[in-house]
Structure formats: structure tokens, C-alpha cells
Amino acid sequence: MGRFREGRRHRQLWGVELGRPYTKRRRTGGSRRNPSRRPRFTLSREHKHRYLTLAARPPVVSIGSILQLSSTTGGVSDVAIHAAVDDINSDPTILNGTTLQVDTRDTNCDDGFLGMVEALQYMATDVITIIGPQCSPIAHIIDYVANELQVPLMSFASDATLSSIQFPFFVRTMPSDLYQMAAVAAVVDYYQWKIVTAIYVDDDYGRNGIAALDDELTARRCKISYKVGFSSKAKTSELINLLVTVSYMESRVIILHTGSQAGLKLLSIAKALNMMGIGYVWIATDWLSAYLDANSSVPAETINGMQGVLTVRPHTPKSKMKSNLVARWSSLSKKYNHSDLRISAYGLYVYDSVWTVAHALDAFFDDGGRISFTNDSRLSDVTGGKLHLEAMSIFDMGNKLLDKIRNVNFTGVSGQVQFNAQYELIHPAYDIISIIGNGMRTIGFWSNYTRLLSTVLPEDQYSKPPNTSLANQQLYDVIWPGETTQKPRGWAFPCNAQELKIGVPNRYSFKEVVGLDNATGSMKGYCIDVFTQALTLLPYPVTYRFIPFGNGTKNPHYDQLAQMVADNDLDAAIGDIEITMSRTKIVDFTQPFIESGLVILAPIEKHNTNPLAFLQPFTLGMWCVTGLSILVVGVVIWILEHRINDEFRGSPREQIITIAWFSFSTLFFVQRENTMSTLGRGVLIIWLFVVLILQSSYTASLTSFLTVQQLGSSIRGLDDLKHSDYPIGFHVGSFAKEYIINQLNISPSRLKALGSPEEYAENLMLGPKKGGVMAIVDERPYVELFLSTYCKIAVAGSEFTSAGWGFVFPRDSPLQEDMSTAILALSESGELQRIHDKWLKTADCSIDNTEFVDSNQLRLESFMGLFLICGAACVLALLIYFGIMLRQYLRHKKQSGSAISVDAGLPTS
């Protein structure tokens, strides 16, 4: 890094070195300098501002790199930098003859303070670009200095908090942890795991990476249930204690975000603690794939300790350039003293980083860029220290070179090298890898282009519109820890876990459902048996204790019980808890174990005890209109027929009898009189059609009254309830109150709380006029129990909600899913029905025997159309008839007048 050679020669000719301490640097490319130095002199303040006036394209230009050469990633990066420099200098189409040199500084990432000091000392040299650093903690410090000195920092640190918004001169040359953690979260969500445990190294890299993972999991309704960090210098005993604590957690999906050294040690300890067996899931971030890719020989003990582990790797597409670099990597690594390392994804990105700088410098020089530095006056005043901060100088055209870097666009060994508006590499993608046998197997890919998992190569997806349907996600089969192909559940009930605190309603009424047995002091009832039987089907033991909710003198309010579960005051709640929309917003319910809709209870009365029951099919209005219609039709037919039909003639008394007989006989289609006029026949046909409909309806309704509907109520259903002003009863603690108020818009002043079956019966029998209620709205299971004892009350109308009872668990509780599966198994085996019959078996007087269809009589409104048609036909026939009569009368009058006139004109004899 630093200045090109002519610049330093120019400075030495002036006999000054600015009092800057000499630091030995490795230099690659071009000839090596003699490390000897001239005596140093101190430059006066007026000469602190200096420029290197050179030709537009200098013969030699140097950039720098900050690496930890002792690490796997640092060694691979060092070889990649050498390879890139050699290829650039041997390519006449780039830099147009200018030789590129790279000065490498070896820093210690494990010792944060010394690493930062070494990096800061390196920044005291005049540099134009830096490759690295690879460590996130050091990158954070160097970014502030790079911003001040306007030196582009080509870093492959993956820390998600390093951004070009805070650090404009920071250029990330590989995908950040934002994308890596999105890929990991997609894997967790794909396998439907809801909770994970995160183990991370407690530094900027680890903490910020897990924070990004937490955000991605939350977006998919998953979460990190337990986070545990450790120091990069943690001892083996500390790591053992850490994993023992993790084994006590319920989550069996473990995300490992560390460095390779600590990560391998953790996996080895986990193997010894039997935490790599069936039921466990281990997902390591890209440190594991980088380690396995780069190391040519991994000990068998190490690879055996990570069988079934999943990891991710930054995706780089296949290309001829990549194949050529991989083919000659062995000779390159031997040449540059890293013969034990193979190329990894980090090496590919670092290789392209050097080429990015070369392309940017080429454009920089073409655009008239010159390399010159200016002292920072704010640092020049800080004297007397040994950090020599006054030696730091600003790269005058750093902004221009930064723009050229951000605008590069070429195809490298890692794929397309191009930056988006956020100055991140376009199309970040990851390989999803399974460790099996002696190597790695790619089971799929994650691409930021679709944000989904797929077995299709990401580069093949870029040419098509992104398909973001979750149904298209796919991964190949995986062999999980314990050599099983069955997907792990992802969680287990810990053996040493504390017993669950389960809230149970202590009911005052209907204790057959759930309640406290005063004799034994234990909870019993239908819901208790369902819960305990479901627990026996779980593949792990669950310890619990019931906590009564309520004082037993009145029914508790279940919204409060659900809120206690949401607030983690209780681990779960069981009982007759209705699944409602408001409750599902704060807690999760299991599969319903019984249907429970709302129904209306009302007193009943028997219809068949009335001697005039045959009149009940029609309402009074219907009978009146029908009788009137009979008479009207008889009169109309008489009017239309009596002039031409002898059967409708006779004395007035005979004609009245004929009208009455004809009208009523049409009801049974036995009329003997024939109609002769066309209008009469038309009216009669329409009337007979009306009679046919009335007769059929009456017969069906009467049959229903006398055979099926032997019970009835003054309440026919929900409409009568809403349109009346009488009091309505509801069950204390039930959700019925909120439903009546919010959904039916019934005033709360009309509601009356009732707490026992006795109160139900008493209030219904009293009725609304004597201080009772018009009807009671309650849940179906309670109604079944109530009607098994009280037979003079029935259900009016039909059930008007469809819900059920379920057990309550906190949001995203894995126990909720297993309990739902157990409830379905109970239902399919018939055990659920057996429990129902044991506790909720109704007597002969049950809801099935007393429930009836609405006893609506046939109303006039239902037949109004028929009567209107018949009436219109009668009126029309009469109008036509009187019109004809009037016409004949006028014609007859005219003819009579003409005859009189003729007679008047004849001569008398």
C-alpha cells in the first residue's frame, strides 16, 4: 500500500521523512526496495502540505492489505492477492503498463487492541486503497480513519452493521451477514422450526450477525429462544458449561456463528456430550464451509464430529475463469508459502477485489486522476505522542477513486462484480450445504433475487421474473445428526425442565366440563381428561401442575386467563376456553377438541293440545285474505257468466247460493257449474292455480305441526332476539356477552348475567314481564347439559356461530403443535368421543329431542304475489267485460235512433 516508488524518491531527494517511524512491509510485484533508510528530518509546518506531481500514469502504484495471515481465511486471501497481482501485471490491457504492488500488513484479530494498533500504524503511511481488514472489530476502527483520510476500504468483513451510509469509504466486496442470516432463517422456516438457540462469539461480528438473524427469523414468525455468547479466548471448561446449558433448553435447533477455531471446538465438545444425535439440528454459518473448502486435510475425528451439520457458502457460479484459477491454485499456494490451503469462496472474492481496484485505477487515470496527499491540520497539532498521528495525510482524490470503484462492472471469478445503489454486490446468493461422510453435499440454494430456497442455480433464475411463491421452495433430502432421514422436530421437553404451570378454570356451574373437586382438592372434568389423555400420546414426558383460576363461587372470565398466558404468568391454560378472534391475537390455541357454537334457549309450549290446531298453518291475516279472495272470485265469475250461462241464473236467493257454492267448491276442485265465457274461464284457471298452491302449502304445514313440530317457542330465532326489547340472559364468563354486544349490536342494558342452571330455568319460566329473561344465549355444550335436566325449555332457531374449545399456549409454543396432533389422534381413535360420553352424556330429555325447526306459520307475505295476480286478473276481466257491455249498449242505442228517424220520415196513409 502506500505511495508509488517515484513519490518516495521525490520525497527522499528533499531529504525529509516527516519524522515517521519506519515499519517493515511485505511488497509483492515489481522489484523490492532496500529497507535501509536515510536519516530522518522534521519538516517545518509550512512545508507539511505536499503534492506528488507525476505523470498521469506512473510506472508503479502500490495499494495495501490488512490480513491475519495465521488464519485460514487470511492465508487464502494472501494467496488470492498474490495471484491477482500477478495476473494484472501480466495483462497488458489493464493499467496500460503501470505495475501494481500490494503491501501486506499482518494483524492479530484475536488480540483486538494490538490488532487495532497495528492497523492504525499502517494507516500512518500514505495509502490510496486497502484490501481488508478481514476482522469486523478492526474494520470498525479502520473505517473511521479511512473516512477521515478518504481512503477506499475494500473489505470482506461480513458484519451487517458496516455500511456505506455510516462509512462512505467502506466498500464491501462480498455478501454481508444480512444475506447470510436471511439464508439461514429461510432454512429454519422451510423445515417449520419455530424456535432456535444461537451460540456466537461475543464481539462485533458475532453480536451483529445474531441480531440480523433475529430480525430475519422474526419476519418469518420464528424466534431465538436462547442466545449465548462467549469470549474468543474462552477456555474449554467454559465452552463445556455453555453447551450443557444449551442442552437444558427446549430448542434443538442450534445456530453456530463463530470463528473456525472456536466453532470446531464447540462441535467436538457437542459430540462428546451426545448433542450430535437424533433430534438435534446444527446450522453453522459460512465459517465452516470456508474452513472445509480451504483445508486440504481435515482430521477424521473432526469431520466425524460434524456429521449432519448444515452450513452455508457464498455462491459463486461456475465459469472458465474460476476453473482456471482453481486449477493453478495448488502451485500458487506453494509459491506463496500456504501450500496446505485450498481456495475458498473468500479467496474468490478477494481475488476479484484486487481486480476491482485495478479496473478502478485504470478508469481513474484515464479520467485525469493524480495521486497526491495533504496533511490533516487537526492532527498536526497533536505532538509529543509516539503514535505519530501527524504523519497521517489525506488522499486528495480519494472521492474520485471511490466513485470509480463503485462504478466497476466486470465478470470475475466470483461472478458479476457490480454494486447496487446501496453499494453492495448485486445478486447475493448462498449454497445450502450438508456435511456427510468425508465431504459436503449441496442440497439447494438461497438467492436474494427470490428470497426463497431452490434446487435451481441462482444464475439460472436471474433471466426469469422472480417467483416468490413459498410453494415453490425445495431442498434435496438431508441426512440429519444421528444418521436419520426423518426431519427432527426441532425441540424437546428438557429432562430437567421445571414443571409447567397450567391454569384451569375453577367453575361454579357445569363442573362436568371442568372444575375443582372439593372432596379431593384436584381438578376434574371433561377438559381435564382430554388434556391428560393427549399428554400420554406425546413422545416425551411433561411435568405440570394445575393452578385453579377463580374462587369457585362464580365462573371466571376467560379473557383474563388468556392474558395471563400471553404475559407468561402461566405456561398454558386448559378448560372450556372458546377460540375467539380477540384471544387468537395474543395466544395460540390447539386444535379444537369439541364444537361450541352459540344457541338460543327459550321456554317451549305444545301446539297439538289446541283443539283449533288445524288453523295454525295460516296466520289470521292469511285466513282473512283467503276467505275474501274466495268470495271475490265467486262474484267475479257470476258477473262474467250470469248473462249467458243459465247455471248462474235464477232468483236472487238461488244466485247467492250459486256464488257461495261455486267459490268454496273450487277449493276442492269439485265445482259443478261450467263456465262459458272466455273471461270467466281465464279468471277461473288463475284462481285454481292459486288454490292449488294454497292447498299444497296448507297440507304440508299442517302435517308438520301435527307430526314433527310438536314443540314451539315464542322466539323463532336470532331476528326475534335482536328486534325485541326484552332482557336476554348469558352465561357468566362466556364470550357470549361480547358477541351479543359487538356482533349483534344489542344494548348491554338488556343483558342479564346468569351463573347456574337453576338460574337459567328460573328466569326463563318467569319470563321478561315478571323479572326474568326472554331467552338465554349460551354455548352448545352447556346447553346440552342443561337440557338433559330441564325439558320444558328448548333451543330456538339454529346455531349461529361455529367455533370450538381449545387449550391455550403462548405464541409459537412448540408444545401447542404436538398437543394439536395428539388431539387429532384422540379423535381418530374414538377416545375423544368416549371421554365426551363419560362427562357430557345427556339423558332422554336432550337437545336432540327438544330442538325444533322454527315454528313459523304461513304468512300472507309469502303468498302476496299469488293474490295480486289473481286480483289483477279479476279486475282486468271485469274491465274488459264492462267495456264490451258499454260498446254493445252504444251500438244498440245508435241503431235504435236510426230506426226512429226512418219511421218519422214516412208519409201517413
Side-chain angles (χ1 to χ4, degrees), residues 305-564:
M306 60 179 70
Q307 293 297 302
V309 175
L310 297 183
T311 185
V312 295
R313 175 204 292 143
H315 177 76
T316 54
K318 295 180 180 179
S319 66
K320 186 176 182 180
M321 294 175 57
K322 177 181 174 180
S323 300
N324 291 338
L325 180 60
V326 173
R328 58 193 182 95
W329 183 266
S330 178
S331 60
L332 289 170
S333 60
K334 291 179 181 179
K335 178 180 178 180
Y336 296 109
N337 302 320
H338 293 286
S339 57
D340 57 333
L341 296 179
R342 298 179 299 184
I343 194 169
S344 66
Y346 279 86
L348 298 175
Y349 281 104
V350 171
Y351 179 90
D352 281 345
S353 298
V354 181
W355 273 93
T356 300
V357 174
H359 282 289
L361 282 172
D362 192 35
F364 175 77
F365 291 136
D366 283 344
D367 199 22
R370 301 185 344 175
I371 300 177
S372 61
F373 297 86
T374 303
N375 278 112
D376 191 337
S377 60
R378 292 173 296 177
L379 295 177
S380 299
D381 295 333
V382 183
T383 58
K386 295 185 178 181
L387 290 178
H388 299 282
L389 298 178
E390 75 280 358
M392 293 186 180
S393 52
I394 299 173
F395 180 21
D396 293 331
M397 290 193 172
N399 278 305
K400 187 170 186 177
L401 179 60
L402 178 65
D403 290 338
K404 300 302 181 184
I405 290 174
R406 289 175 171 174
N407 291 324
V408 297
N409 186 357
F410 68 96
T411 301
V413 294
S414 63
Q416 188 68 20
V417 180
Q418 184 180 356
F419 298 96
N420 58 21
Q422 291 74 38
Y423 306 116
E424 300 274 357
L425 288 174
I426 64 171
H427 300 322
Y430 281 85
D431 301 337
I432 312 301
I433 297 171
S434 172
I435 310 299
I436 181 172
N438 295 323
M440 298 182 289
R441 173 174 172 261
T442 300
I443 61 172
F445 309 94
W446 178 90
S447 169
N448 189 55
Y449 184 68
T450 61
R451 305 285 294 184
L452 298 177
L453 299 169
S454 176
T455 55
V456 180
L457 289 169
E459 54 268 27
D460 294 340
Q461 302 177 24
Y462 300 150
S463 59
K464 305 174 184 177
N467 190 338
T468 58
S469 173
L470 293 176
N472 295 324
Q473 288 200 121
Q474 184 182 5
L475 291 176
Y476 292 119
D477 294 336
V478 178
I479 297 180
W480 302 99
E483 299 182 356
T484 178
T485 57
Q486 183 177 1
K487 184 200 80 172
R489 181 188 296 108
W491 82 285
F493 203 82
C495 297
N496 66 332
Q498 297 179 353
E499 60 183 7
L500 297 179
K501 296 181 295 182
I502 306 225
V504 182
N506 184 14
R507 295 186 55 85
Y508 169 67
S509 61
F510 299 115
K511 289 194 173 184
E512 298 90 340
V513 175
V514 63
L516 181 65
D517 188 348
N518 296 324
T520 62
S522 61
M523 305 302 295
K524 67 174 185 177
Y526 167 71
C527 297
I528 299 296
D529 280 8
V530 173
F531 177 74
T532 55
Q533 287 298 317
L535 284 183
T536 62
L537 299 180
L538 299 184
Y540 45 83
V542 177
T543 58
Y544 62 89
R545 62 187 173 95
F546 291 138
I547 299 178
F549 177 70
N551 54 21
T553 60
K554 63 178 182 179
N555 297 325
H557 291 275
Y558 292 172
D559 286 344
Q560 299 175 8
L561 185 59
Q563 189 62 51
M564 291 178 67

Side-chain angles (χ1 to χ4, degrees), residues 815-859:
L815 188 58
Q816 174 264 341
E817 182 178 350
D818 287 352
M819 285 296 290
S820 293
T821 304
I823 289 172
L824 289 175
L826 288 177
S827 177
E828 292 175 359
S829 66
E831 182 65 17
L832 199 60
Q833 184 62 42
R834 188 193 66 79
I835 299 173
H836 178 278
D837 294 341
K838 173 185 174 183
W839 291 99
L840 306 180
K841 184 68 174 179
T842 56
D844 293 337
C845 180
S846 65
I847 188 172
D848 293 331
N849 295 328
T850 59
E851 185 173 357
F852 61 91
V853 183
D854 290 349
S855 59
N856 291 331
Q857 294 175 304
L858 297 177
R859 299 174 180 271

Side-chain angles (χ1 to χ4, degrees), residues 597-712:
L598 291 178
V599 292
I600 300 172
L601 279 174
I604 61 173
E605 56 185 15
K606 296 198 173 186
H607 294 296
N608 58 356
T609 58
N610 190 346
L612 299 179
F614 66 90
L615 296 177
Q616 291 182 355
F618 286 170
T619 62
L620 178 60
M622 183 68 180
W623 280 118
C624 293
V625 173
T626 302
L628 181 62
S629 299
I630 291 173
L631 296 176
V632 169
V633 170
V635 172
V636 170
I637 295 297
W638 176 81
I639 294 174
L640 298 175
E641 294 289 331
H642 83 281
R643 292 183 62 254
I644 60 175
N645 192 340
D646 292 338
E647 293 183 0
F648 287 89
R649 291 183 178 182
S651 64
R653 178 175 174 273
E654 291 176 346
Q655 293 187 46
I656 293 174
I657 293 174
T658 300
I659 292 173
W661 163 255
F662 181 84
S663 299
F664 285 99
S665 63
T666 54
L667 291 176
F668 311 101
F669 307 103
V670 295
Q671 69 277 3
R672 293 176 299 176
E673 294 77 12
N674 295 321
T675 53
M676 300 179 62
S677 67
T678 303
L679 292 176
R681 290 174 178 175
V683 171
L684 183 60
I685 289 174
I686 295 175
W687 171 244
L688 291 177
F689 176 74
V690 173
V691 168
L692 176 64
I693 300 299
L694 292 176
Q695 186 186 64
S696 301
S697 301
Y698 176 84
T699 303
S701 181
L702 182 61
T703 302
S704 176
F705 269 101
L706 297 180
T707 59
V708 180
Q709 299 185 59
Q710 298 185 5
L711 299 177

Side-chain angles (χ1 to χ4, degrees), residues 35-94:
S36 61
R37 296 285 182 177
R38 293 176 179 268
R40 303 187 182 209
F41 299 89
T42 302
L43 187 67
S44 60
R45 179 169 297 182
E46 59 271 18
H47 291 96
K48 284 287 184 179
H49 182 74
R50 66 203 185 273
Y51 293 98
L52 301 178
T53 306
L54 302 169
R57 285 187 176 271
V60 179
V61 63
S62 296
I63 60 176
S65 67
I66 302 176
L67 305 171
Q68 184 181 10
L69 298 177
S70 60
S71 67
T72 299
T73 300
V76 171
S77 300
D78 187 45
V79 177
I81 291 173
H82 281 82
V85 168
D86 291 345
D87 293 344
I88 291 170
N89 289 334
S90 62
D91 188 346
T93 63
I94 189 74

Side-chain angles (χ1 to χ4, degrees), residues 182-256:
V184 172
V187 173
V188 172
D189 186 45
Y190 176 78
Y191 290 110
Q192 299 178 347
W193 299 314
K194 294 301 181 183
I195 56 174
V196 303
T197 296
I199 302 176
Y200 61 95
V201 59
D202 197 4
D203 59 12
D204 291 338
Y205 162 75
R207 287 190 302 271
N208 296 332
I210 294 302
L213 175 63
D214 202 359
D215 292 341
E216 291 292 339
L217 288 173
T218 302
R220 293 168 171 81
R221 291 201 64 185
C222 307
K223 68 177 181 179
I224 301 176
S225 61
Y226 182 65
K227 301 178 185 178
V228 54
F230 63 92
S231 169
S232 58
K233 299 179 181 180
K235 300 178 182 178
T236 301
S237 59
E238 295 174 340
L239 297 180
I240 292 175
N241 292 335
L242 180 151
L243 288 179
V244 169
T245 303
V246 169
S247 68
Y248 292 160
M249 301 296 111
E250 61 181 351
S251 172
R252 289 294 182 262
V253 181
I254 302 172
I255 312 297
L256 199 54

